[in-house]
Amino acid sequence: MKSIKDEIKSIDLEAIKQRVNLLISTNKTEPAPEKKYRCSKCKDEEWIIKEEDGQAYAIPCECQKERAAERLMRSSRITPEFQSKSFKNFVQEGRPYQVIEALKAACNYVKDLDDKGIPRSSIALLGRPGCGKTHLLMAIANYLLAKSTQVLYFPFVEGFNEIKANLDTLETRIYQLQQADVLYIDDLFKGRREITDFVIEQVFAIINYRYLEKKPTMISSEKTIAGLCEIDEGIGSRINEMCRDYRVILHGGIELNYRLQQ
Ligand SMILES: [Zn+2]
């Protein structure tokens, strides 16, 4: 953790004066309407200007980390493509029974909600790519979102790229992933490169927390339970237990891959 002092940035006093003058001059032509700030401490600037011995400093406001984390959330927001995925437009015809099993599991999953509309369990669709795992989990997410249940979407590869690029918000981000009412992790442990200890540590922190708190988690992965355990036994065994009622593993050959058949 960086200390506050390390984060303090010196700002040229002249630049601040110019900025204030600019604000005053724009205000002359059209008086700004009463503005409500989300953060009254920094007036939504995310920095607080302090002066000491004629020297001005900008100190990061306490709202800054929260806002940075929010920006990350927005960048992994649910796209129109995501929103279009439903149970209705999931093609069943001519697909192997395993894929139909996955569809049934997904349909049963959304029937098993508590009185707040939150699933009572976790779900894992694992195995071969191109079998509609992502389509089905997106359909569940859309179903839940339509019921105003909070679903946090975390595409594994992009999500970790963002985390690594913004390490100062790591704690906040992991906290959000732990706390979300429903967390959807798409393509867990995807990638050709070796999974680093850093990634394993963060995934364990998220999965272990949600396992202990019995928070519903939706997971798609090309890895099987054995494959997940090979990466980290603690993660694999917890996912296995969390998802024991809704766990479909799509084994089998290339014939399961719908994308290749089209
Ligand atoms: Zn603030």
Side-chain angles (χ1 to χ4, degrees):
M1 283 292 285
K2 275 197 256 173
S3 77
I4 286 287
K5 275 218 162 135
D6 289 335
E7 287 181 1
I8 289 177
K9 286 182 187 169
S10 172
I11 286 184
D12 183 21
L13 197 56
E14 199 50 46
I16 294 169
K17 278 183 192 157
Q18 277 176 11
R19 194 166 167 200
V20 169
N21 287 338
L22 188 71
L23 284 171
I24 293 167
S25 65
T26 49
N27 278 353
K28 267 180 207 161
T29 48
E30 202 182 299
E34 262 313 302
K35 198 183 166 192
K36 269 202 173 165
Y37 296 105
R38 231 183 92 186
C39 176
S40 56
K41 284 183 190 152
C42 66
K43 296 199 165 64
D44 296 343
E45 294 280 347
E46 299 182 35
W47 295 89
I48 295 169
I49 308 294
K50 298 228 163 159
E51 214 182 307
E52 201 183 280
D53 303 330
Q55 179 79 19
Y57 297 99
I59 300 171
C61 182
E62 55 194 45
C63 71
Q64 199 184 80
K65 279 196 173 174
E66 195 185 315
R67 285 167 194 260
E70 275 176 16
R71 280 192 284 271
L72 279 184
M73 297 264 264
R74 261 180 263 137
S75 67
S76 67
R77 74 186 179 281
I78 291 170
T79 60
E81 164 78 1
F82 186 141
Q83 285 172 39
S84 74
K85 305 289 189 219
S86 70
F87 290 113
K88 272 186 192 159
N89 61 24
F90 185 81
V91 178
Q92 299 186 50
E93 214 174 304
R95 304 191 74 175
Y97 78 94
Q98 291 173 315
V99 174
I100 304 303
E101 286 300 303
L103 170 64
K104 277 187 201 160
C107 289
N108 288 333
Y109 185 73
V110 295
K111 288 179 194 153
D112 195 10
L113 308 179
D114 70 12
D115 49 14
K116 287 180 193 143
I118 295 172
R120 289 177 206 275
S121 180
S122 294
I123 183 168
L125 302 183
L126 309 173
R128 290 207 68 90
C131 302
K133 299 190 297 284
T134 293
H135 184 131
L136 288 173
L137 292 186
M138 286 181 174
I140 295 174
N142 287 326
Y143 182 95
L144 296 172
L145 289 164
K147 288 194 169 297
S148 303
T149 301
Q150 182 212 4
V151 180
L152 180 53
Y153 173 52
F154 186 74
F156 180 78
V157 175
E158 297 88 337
F160 265 104
N161 285 342
E162 283 176 346
I163 283 177
K164 285 175 192 162
N166 299 275
L167 281 176
D168 54 332
T169 62
L170 174 67
E171 270 176 60
T172 318
R173 187 70 173 139
I174 297 301
Y175 179 78
Q176 287 168 333
L177 292 162
Q178 289 172 329
Q179 298 291 330
D181 285 347
V182 181
L183 174 65
Y184 167 19
I185 305 176
D186 192 29
D187 265 329
L188 176 63
F189 291 135
K190 191 190 172 76
R192 287 194 186 83
R193 275 187 287 166
E194 210 189 324
I195 311 287
T196 62
D197 287 346
F198 170 81
V199 168
I200 291 173
E201 220 171 273
Q202 305 312 321
V203 172
F204 182 80
I206 297 160
I207 294 294
N208 187 50
Y209 183 91
R210 300 189 66 86
Y211 166 80
L212 294 173
E213 297 294 319
K214 296 188 167 46
K215 281 181 167 287
T217 308
M218 300 159 50
I219 297 163
S220 78
S221 179
E222 289 176 15
K223 308 270 188 263
T224 60
I225 293 292
L228 294 174
C229 285
E230 238 169 71
I231 293 167
D232 186 273
E233 209 176 317
I235 295 170
S237 62
R238 278 164 183 75
I239 289 175
N240 189 43
E241 206 181 317
M242 290 158 85
C243 304
R244 88 188 150 259
D245 297 328
Y246 300 97
R247 182 183 55 212
V248 179
I249 299 164
L250 298 134
H251 297 289
I254 204 86
E255 71 275 7
L256 282 180
N257 193 325
Y258 184 66
R259 282 178 216 138
L260 295 180
Q261 287 174 359
Q262 287 184 315

